[in-house]
Amino acid sequence: MSTLSGLARRLVNDNLLDEELARDSLTQAAKQKVPFVLYLTQNSVLDAKTLASVAADEFGTPLFDLRAINPESIPKKLVDPKLIQKHHALPLIKRGNRLFVAVLDPTNLHALDEIKFNTGINTEPVLAEADLLSTAIEAYINANEESLSDALGGLDDDELTNLDTEPGGDESNDDEGAEADEAPIVRFINKILLDAIKTGASDIHFEPYEKTYRVRFRTDGILQEVAKPPVNLATRLSARLKVMSQMDISERRVPQDGRIKMKITKTRAIDFRVNTLPTLFGEKVVLRILDSSSAKLGIDILGYEDDQKKMFMDTLAQPQGMILVTGPTGSGKTVSLYTGLNILNTEERNISTAEDPVEINLEGINQVQMNNKVGLTFAEALRSFLRQDPDIVMVGEIRDLETAEIAIKAAQTGHLVLSTLHTNSAPETLTRLLNMGVPAFNVATSVSLIIAQRLARRLCPKCKTPANDIPDEILSEEGFDDIGIPRDELELYHPVGCDSCLKGYKGRVGVYEVVRITPAIASLIMEGGNSLVIAKEAHRAGFNNLRISALRKAAQGLTSLEEANRVTKD
């Protein structure tokens, strides 16, 4: 005898659902805290139309076709959106003291009672198809999410300046905090942060000017304006961001640093590194989005050529030596370093990192945040690491001779060291160390591999169009004769632009110059050879420079010639 009840029993009796599957679905729906009907449709167990028809017959509740209702006629701001999402129930029509509510299960009296308590109006359920109800709820929430411009755009300058705020204390700090908590401001900031995450932006810029205020995203390395809130709100927007970042909102004269953690799902959170800067017309706030998933992409995703990947992996497998990653800010050095650390991160190894700042938390790795105010510098952290029985050490950046000497000493005494420098190419990295004052012998014997890199925008696969209009002489001038790909195998494309991308590009791909320190290059270092001489020897040894690597990416259809020129052409 089946112990199932309600709609589950009816579905089993009508042979629409196997009893074991029905039990499992009920259990999973309860675990996920979603209605049973919604679970069945979301997991394609049964179609929404069949479920709605059976439920209407089982419960004797009318089935309402949501396609027949005008969204504008749905009561606005009557029910808290959180309640609508929590119970998956949408108010449809208010007639006198009765509110008709679209639901998936009319026996969920708790939902109906909570809506009744919230509104003070008697509720009557009507059934709706699960997919149509989900779509309608999403549209309703989006339409009623009051944007900043909707909330404030109709006010004049005087009203904008004197918006009501919650009562504060006797300090301006408290007053500002109350203003910052104002609902439209909170919603606007939250929407900007979520939009930035959805679009894959790396940075968000909040910028006050004399007569305007703008918000920009850096997406795929390019800044673009996304919003222009009223300039009167500059102080409130910065105050809200400072509250979220746990900064001192009463201090506007000096730069401040902070962090925001935004939980996206139960298992995923996004960190924002926040910095404020006093400017002529207010505080500029820049948020760097730190997505820990980017540190776990895997080396195959980063865009290394096969020979470059092999050199990187072989060097990571060595017990000692130094790997240097170089390039300008925003070229992906951190992701390359973290990718290497993730490959090395095993139970048998002791890994310590000195970072400024620690951007992404890596489980199983001892990460140390630099603090110059108390004397915790890269050099000091490195000295401590060498007394902590390390196998692998990562230094966020070699900035001075002291740090360079300790890192090189570690690489020479049985440790694998990973670090970065701000130089333009691999050969320039070697001469930079020499110019710092590191003896040539130490550079030649400790540095194992140098990776110079850039990030090029990846062509959108949906809209890119073949570039058949580039003359052969132009291809030769650009350097395609030197990339090792026959002319008839080139797959060049132009960016176009569509709904799925930004001006023809979507995502980025790494462009790398990977140079292993061969005996010949080591000899040149010992002889005091400059970067041009070292670059020539690296090319002779078969190591592609950044320009050749970028042209190869263009020839493979991954990026455009225009983008290759932007990131590598002098």
PDB file of all heavy atoms in Angstrom, residues 423-450:
ATOM      1  N   THR A 423      58.235  43.874 -16.114  1.00  0.00           N
ATOM      2  CA  THR A 423      59.033  44.191 -17.299  1.00  0.00           C
ATOM      3  C   THR A 423      58.228  43.808 -18.530  1.00  0.00           C
ATOM      4  O   THR A 423      57.208  43.118 -18.428  1.00  0.00           O
ATOM      5  CB  THR A 423      60.372  43.430 -17.302  1.00  0.00           C
ATOM      6  OG1 THR A 423      60.111  42.031 -17.197  1.00  0.00           O
ATOM      7  CG2 THR A 423      61.252  43.857 -16.146  1.00  0.00           C
ATOM      8  N   ASN A 424      58.703  44.237 -19.693  1.00  0.00           N
ATOM      9  CA  ASN A 424      57.918  44.055 -20.915  1.00  0.00           C
ATOM     10  C   ASN A 424      58.170  42.743 -21.642  1.00  0.00           C
ATOM     11  O   ASN A 424      57.362  42.319 -22.453  1.00  0.00           O
ATOM     12  CB  ASN A 424      58.161  45.224 -21.872  1.00  0.00           C
ATOM     13  CG  ASN A 424      57.585  46.522 -21.347  1.00  0.00           C
ATOM     14  OD1 ASN A 424      56.518  46.519 -20.721  1.00  0.00           O
ATOM     15  ND2 ASN A 424      58.282  47.622 -21.558  1.00  0.00           N
ATOM     16  N   SER A 425      59.316  42.116 -21.409  1.00  0.00           N
ATOM     17  CA  SER A 425      59.638  40.884 -22.122  1.00  0.00           C
ATOM     18  C   SER A 425      60.530  40.019 -21.260  1.00  0.00           C
ATOM     19  O   SER A 425      61.066  40.456 -20.235  1.00  0.00           O
ATOM     20  CB  SER A 425      60.340  41.198 -23.449  1.00  0.00           C
ATOM     21  OG  SER A 425      61.628  41.752 -23.201  1.00  0.00           O
ATOM     22  N   ALA A 426      60.724  38.773 -21.675  1.00  0.00           N
ATOM     23  CA  ALA A 426      61.562  37.855 -20.908  1.00  0.00           C
ATOM     24  C   ALA A 426      63.016  38.313 -20.853  1.00  0.00           C
ATOM     25  O   ALA A 426      63.620  38.347 -19.764  1.00  0.00           O
ATOM     26  CB  ALA A 426      61.445  36.449 -21.499  1.00  0.00           C
ATOM     27  N   PRO A 427      63.646  38.691 -21.979  1.00  0.00           N
ATOM     28  CA  PRO A 427      65.034  39.157 -21.901  1.00  0.00           C
ATOM     29  C   PRO A 427      65.206  40.381 -21.005  1.00  0.00           C
ATOM     30  O   PRO A 427      66.207  40.506 -20.291  1.00  0.00           O
ATOM     31  CB  PRO A 427      65.374  39.481 -23.360  1.00  0.00           C
ATOM     32  CG  PRO A 427      64.471  38.612 -24.170  1.00  0.00           C
ATOM     33  CD  PRO A 427      63.197  38.570 -23.385  1.00  0.00           C
ATOM     34  N   GLU A 428      64.233  41.302 -21.024  1.00  0.00           N
ATOM     35  CA  GLU A 428      64.326  42.491 -20.184  1.00  0.00           C
ATOM     36  C   GLU A 428      64.274  42.140 -18.698  1.00  0.00           C
ATOM     37  O   GLU A 428      64.793  42.881 -17.852  1.00  0.00           O
ATOM     38  CB  GLU A 428      63.206  43.475 -20.529  1.00  0.00           C
ATOM     39  CG  GLU A 428      63.395  44.164 -21.877  1.00  0.00           C
ATOM     40  CD  GLU A 428      62.232  45.072 -22.218  1.00  0.00           C
ATOM     41  OE1 GLU A 428      61.663  45.682 -21.299  1.00  0.00           O
ATOM     42  OE2 GLU A 428      61.884  45.172 -23.410  1.00  0.00           O
ATOM     43  N   THR A 429      63.642  41.006 -18.368  1.00  0.00           N
ATOM     44  CA  THR A 429      63.579  40.569 -16.980  1.00  0.00           C
ATOM     45  C   THR A 429      64.971  40.242 -16.457  1.00  0.00           C
ATOM     46  O   THR A 429      65.326  40.586 -15.323  1.00  0.00           O
ATOM     47  CB  THR A 429      62.675  39.324 -16.866  1.00  0.00           C
ATOM     48  OG1 THR A 429      61.381  39.641 -17.383  1.00  0.00           O
ATOM     49  CG2 THR A 429      62.538  38.878 -15.426  1.00  0.00           C
ATOM     50  N   LEU A 430      65.767  39.585 -17.285  1.00  0.00           N
ATOM     51  CA  LEU A 430      67.134  39.229 -16.880  1.00  0.00           C
ATOM     52  C   LEU A 430      67.979  40.480 -16.666  1.00  0.00           C
ATOM     53  O   LEU A 430      68.702  40.599 -15.671  1.00  0.00           O
ATOM     54  CB  LEU A 430      67.763  38.326 -17.939  1.00  0.00           C
ATOM     55  CG  LEU A 430      67.092  36.949 -18.093  1.00  0.00           C
ATOM     56  CD1 LEU A 430      67.591  36.242 -19.349  1.00  0.00           C
ATOM     57  CD2 LEU A 430      67.356  36.090 -16.864  1.00  0.00           C
ATOM     58  N   THR A 431      67.895  41.425 -17.593  1.00  0.00           N
ATOM     59  CA  THR A 431      68.692  42.652 -17.447  1.00  0.00           C
ATOM     60  C   THR A 431      68.189  43.509 -16.285  1.00  0.00           C
ATOM     61  O   THR A 431      68.969  44.221 -15.653  1.00  0.00           O
ATOM     62  CB  THR A 431      68.681  43.477 -18.752  1.00  0.00           C
ATOM     63  OG1 THR A 431      67.328  43.733 -19.140  1.00  0.00           O
ATOM     64  CG2 THR A 431      69.364  42.714 -19.870  1.00  0.00           C
ATOM     65  N   ARG A 432      66.879  43.422 -15.978  1.00  0.00           N
ATOM     66  CA  ARG A 432      66.335  44.154 -14.827  1.00  0.00           C
ATOM     67  C   ARG A 432      66.972  43.639 -13.531  1.00  0.00           C
ATOM     68  O   ARG A 432      67.332  44.433 -12.651  1.00  0.00           O
ATOM     69  CB  ARG A 432      64.812  43.986 -14.784  1.00  0.00           C
ATOM     70  CG  ARG A 432      64.133  44.551 -13.545  1.00  0.00           C
ATOM     71  CD  ARG A 432      64.123  46.064 -13.544  1.00  0.00           C
ATOM     72  NE  ARG A 432      63.492  46.581 -12.347  1.00  0.00           N
ATOM     73  CZ  ARG A 432      62.174  46.715 -12.184  1.00  0.00           C
ATOM     74  NH1 ARG A 432      61.356  46.367 -13.158  1.00  0.00           N
ATOM     75  NH2 ARG A 432      61.682  47.192 -11.064  1.00  0.00           N
ATOM     76  N   LEU A 433      67.098  42.323 -13.391  1.00  0.00           N
ATOM     77  CA  LEU A 433      67.734  41.759 -12.204  1.00  0.00           C
ATOM     78  C   LEU A 433      69.187  42.207 -12.101  1.00  0.00           C
ATOM     79  O   LEU A 433      69.678  42.543 -11.020  1.00  0.00           O
ATOM     80  CB  LEU A 433      67.647  40.227 -12.238  1.00  0.00           C
ATOM     81  CG  LEU A 433      66.265  39.617 -11.995  1.00  0.00           C
ATOM     82  CD1 LEU A 433      66.291  38.112 -12.252  1.00  0.00           C
ATOM     83  CD2 LEU A 433      65.778  39.895 -10.577  1.00  0.00           C
ATOM     84  N   LEU A 434      69.873  42.224 -13.246  1.00  0.00           N
ATOM     85  CA  LEU A 434      71.276  42.676 -13.257  1.00  0.00           C
ATOM     86  C   LEU A 434      71.362  44.143 -12.855  1.00  0.00           C
ATOM     87  O   LEU A 434      72.244  44.548 -12.095  1.00  0.00           O
ATOM     88  CB  LEU A 434      71.882  42.455 -14.646  1.00  0.00           C
ATOM     89  CG  LEU A 434      72.011  40.987 -15.098  1.00  0.00           C
ATOM     90  CD1 LEU A 434      72.463  40.920 -16.556  1.00  0.00           C
ATOM     91  CD2 LEU A 434      72.982  40.221 -14.204  1.00  0.00           C
ATOM     92  N   ASN A 435      70.445  44.955 -13.360  1.00  0.00           N
ATOM     93  CA  ASN A 435      70.445  46.388 -13.037  1.00  0.00           C
ATOM     94  C   ASN A 435      70.116  46.645 -11.566  1.00  0.00           C
ATOM     95  O   ASN A 435      70.492  47.683 -11.007  1.00  0.00           O
ATOM     96  CB  ASN A 435      69.462  47.136 -13.934  1.00  0.00           C
ATOM     97  CG  ASN A 435      69.915  47.180 -15.388  1.00  0.00           C
ATOM     98  OD1 ASN A 435      71.118  47.046 -15.670  1.00  0.00           O
ATOM     99  ND2 ASN A 435      68.982  47.354 -16.304  1.00  0.00           N
ATOM    100  N   MET A 436      69.342  45.729 -10.955  1.00  0.00           N
ATOM    101  CA  MET A 436      69.046  45.863  -9.525  1.00  0.00           C
ATOM    102  C   MET A 436      70.309  45.706  -8.688  1.00  0.00           C
ATOM    103  O   MET A 436      70.364  46.146  -7.540  1.00  0.00           O
ATOM    104  CB  MET A 436      68.037  44.778  -9.100  1.00  0.00           C
ATOM    105  CG  MET A 436      66.594  45.116  -9.317  1.00  0.00           C
ATOM    106  SD  MET A 436      65.563  43.792  -8.619  1.00  0.00           S
ATOM    107  CE  MET A 436      63.936  44.404  -9.031  1.00  0.00           C
ATOM    108  N   GLY A 437      71.299  45.005  -9.266  1.00  0.00           N
ATOM    109  CA  GLY A 437      72.526  44.754  -8.519  1.00  0.00           C
ATOM    110  C   GLY A 437      72.765  43.304  -8.202  1.00  0.00           C
ATOM    111  O   GLY A 437      73.711  42.964  -7.468  1.00  0.00           O
ATOM    112  N   VAL A 438      71.913  42.403  -8.730  1.00  0.00           N
ATOM    113  CA  VAL A 438      72.116  40.971  -8.509  1.00  0.00           C
ATOM    114  C   VAL A 438      73.306  40.524  -9.355  1.00  0.00           C
ATOM    115  O   VAL A 438      73.353  40.810 -10.555  1.00  0.00           O
ATOM    116  CB  VAL A 438      70.854  40.163  -8.903  1.00  0.00           C
ATOM    117  CG1 VAL A 438      71.097  38.672  -8.670  1.00  0.00           C
ATOM    118  CG2 VAL A 438      69.649  40.646  -8.107  1.00  0.00           C
ATOM    119  N   PRO A 439      74.280  39.841  -8.793  1.00  0.00           N
ATOM    120  CA  PRO A 439      75.436  39.380  -9.569  1.00  0.00           C
ATOM    121  C   PRO A 439      75.009  38.491 -10.734  1.00  0.00           C
ATOM    122  O   PRO A 439      74.087  37.675 -10.606  1.00  0.00           O
ATOM    123  CB  PRO A 439      76.258  38.592  -8.545  1.00  0.00           C
ATOM    124  CG  PRO A 439      75.856  39.153  -7.219  1.00  0.00           C
ATOM    125  CD  PRO A 439      74.417  39.535  -7.349  1.00  0.00           C
ATOM    126  N   ALA A 440      75.684  38.652 -11.875  1.00  0.00           N
ATOM    127  CA  ALA A 440      75.329  37.908 -13.085  1.00  0.00           C
ATOM    128  C   ALA A 440      75.372  36.406 -12.848  1.00  0.00           C
ATOM    129  O   ALA A 440      74.523  35.653 -13.353  1.00  0.00           O
ATOM    130  CB  ALA A 440      76.264  38.293 -14.227  1.00  0.00           C
ATOM    131  N   PHE A 441      76.349  35.926 -12.066  1.00  0.00           N
ATOM    132  CA  PHE A 441      76.458  34.497 -11.800  1.00  0.00           C
ATOM    133  C   PHE A 441      75.206  33.973 -11.099  1.00  0.00           C
ATOM    134  O   PHE A 441      74.698  32.893 -11.428  1.00  0.00           O
ATOM    135  CB  PHE A 441      77.696  34.227 -10.928  1.00  0.00           C
ATOM    136  CG  PHE A 441      77.817  32.789 -10.506  1.00  0.00           C
ATOM    137  CD1 PHE A 441      78.293  31.824 -11.387  1.00  0.00           C
ATOM    138  CD2 PHE A 441      77.420  32.400  -9.230  1.00  0.00           C
ATOM    139  CE1 PHE A 441      78.394  30.493 -10.999  1.00  0.00           C
ATOM    140  CE2 PHE A 441      77.511  31.076  -8.838  1.00  0.00           C
ATOM    141  CZ  PHE A 441      78.006  30.114  -9.726  1.00  0.00           C
ATOM    142  N   ASN A 442      74.693  34.736 -10.134  1.00  0.00           N
ATOM    143  CA  ASN A 442      73.490  34.309  -9.403  1.00  0.00           C
ATOM    144  C   ASN A 442      72.272  34.259 -10.317  1.00  0.00           C
ATOM    145  O   ASN A 442      71.437  33.362 -10.215  1.00  0.00           O
ATOM    146  CB  ASN A 442      73.225  35.241  -8.233  1.00  0.00           C
ATOM    147  CG  ASN A 442      74.169  34.997  -7.082  1.00  0.00           C
ATOM    148  OD1 ASN A 442      74.828  33.956  -7.025  1.00  0.00           O
ATOM    149  ND2 ASN A 442      74.267  35.954  -6.166  1.00  0.00           N
ATOM    150  N   VAL A 443      72.150  35.248 -11.215  1.00  0.00           N
ATOM    151  CA  VAL A 443      71.020  35.248 -12.157  1.00  0.00           C
ATOM    152  C   VAL A 443      71.114  34.037 -13.079  1.00  0.00           C
ATOM    153  O   VAL A 443      70.127  33.309 -13.292  1.00  0.00           O
ATOM    154  CB  VAL A 443      71.001  36.549 -12.987  1.00  0.00           C
ATOM    155  CG1 VAL A 443      69.906  36.488 -14.057  1.00  0.00           C
ATOM    156  CG2 VAL A 443      70.778  37.760 -12.085  1.00  0.00           C
ATOM    157  N   ALA A 444      72.286  33.782 -13.632  1.00  0.00           N
ATOM    158  CA  ALA A 444      72.468  32.706 -14.601  1.00  0.00           C
ATOM    159  C   ALA A 444      72.230  31.329 -13.996  1.00  0.00           C
ATOM    160  O   ALA A 444      71.751  30.415 -14.675  1.00  0.00           O
ATOM    161  CB  ALA A 444      73.859  32.781 -15.214  1.00  0.00           C
ATOM    162  N   THR A 445      72.544  31.168 -12.712  1.00  0.00           N
ATOM    163  CA  THR A 445      72.449  29.837 -12.102  1.00  0.00           C
ATOM    164  C   THR A 445      71.151  29.586 -11.350  1.00  0.00           C
ATOM    165  O   THR A 445      70.857  28.434 -11.010  1.00  0.00           O
ATOM    166  CB  THR A 445      73.622  29.627 -11.122  1.00  0.00           C
ATOM    167  OG1 THR A 445      73.606  30.673 -10.132  1.00  0.00           O
ATOM    168  CG2 THR A 445      74.944  29.630 -11.862  1.00  0.00           C
ATOM    169  N   SER A 446      70.371  30.617 -11.079  1.00  0.00           N
ATOM    170  CA  SER A 446      69.148  30.420 -10.286  1.00  0.00           C
ATOM    171  C   SER A 446      67.868  30.506 -11.108  1.00  0.00           C
ATOM    172  O   SER A 446      66.899  29.780 -10.847  1.00  0.00           O
ATOM    173  CB  SER A 446      69.088  31.439  -9.148  1.00  0.00           C
ATOM    174  OG  SER A 446      69.076  32.756  -9.660  1.00  0.00           O
ATOM    175  N   VAL A 447      67.824  31.399 -12.093  1.00  0.00           N
ATOM    176  CA  VAL A 447      66.593  31.554 -12.901  1.00  0.00           C
ATOM    177  C   VAL A 447      66.489  30.395 -13.890  1.00  0.00           C
ATOM    178  O   VAL A 447      67.420  30.130 -14.652  1.00  0.00           O
ATOM    179  CB  VAL A 447      66.598  32.904 -13.650  1.00  0.00           C
ATOM    180  CG1 VAL A 447      65.330  33.023 -14.500  1.00  0.00           C
ATOM    181  CG2 VAL A 447      66.686  34.064 -12.669  1.00  0.00           C
ATOM    182  N   SER A 448      65.356  29.682 -13.837  1.00  0.00           N
ATOM    183  CA  SER A 448      65.150  28.525 -14.720  1.00  0.00           C
ATOM    184  C   SER A 448      64.263  28.858 -15.916  1.00  0.00           C
ATOM    185  O   SER A 448      64.507  28.380 -17.016  1.00  0.00           O
ATOM    186  CB  SER A 448      64.500  27.379 -13.930  1.00  0.00           C
ATOM    187  OG  SER A 448      65.249  27.050 -12.786  1.00  0.00           O
ATOM    188  N   LEU A 449      63.215  29.664 -15.676  1.00  0.00           N
ATOM    189  CA  LEU A 449      62.223  29.915 -16.722  1.00  0.00           C
ATOM    190  C   LEU A 449      61.643  31.310 -16.531  1.00  0.00           C
ATOM    191  O   LEU A 449      61.404  31.745 -15.400  1.00  0.00           O
ATOM    192  CB  LEU A 449      61.086  28.872 -16.643  1.00  0.00           C
ATOM    193  CG  LEU A 449      60.089  28.855 -17.794  1.00  0.00           C
ATOM    194  CD1 LEU A 449      60.685  28.127 -18.999  1.00  0.00           C
ATOM    195  CD2 LEU A 449      58.784  28.151 -17.381  1.00  0.00           C
ATOM    196  N   ILE A 450      61.404  32.000 -17.642  1.00  0.00           N
ATOM    197  CA  ILE A 450      60.742  33.308 -17.608  1.00  0.00           C
ATOM    198  C   ILE A 450      59.534  33.266 -18.529  1.00  0.00           C
ATOM    199  O   ILE A 450      59.624  32.804 -19.676  1.00  0.00           O
ATOM    200  CB  ILE A 450      61.689  34.434 -18.053  1.00  0.00           C
ATOM    201  CG1 ILE A 450      62.945  34.448 -17.185  1.00  0.00           C
ATOM    202  CG2 ILE A 450      60.992  35.790 -17.970  1.00  0.00           C
ATOM    203  CD1 ILE A 450      63.981  35.440 -17.640  1.00  0.00           C
TER     204      ILE A 450
END
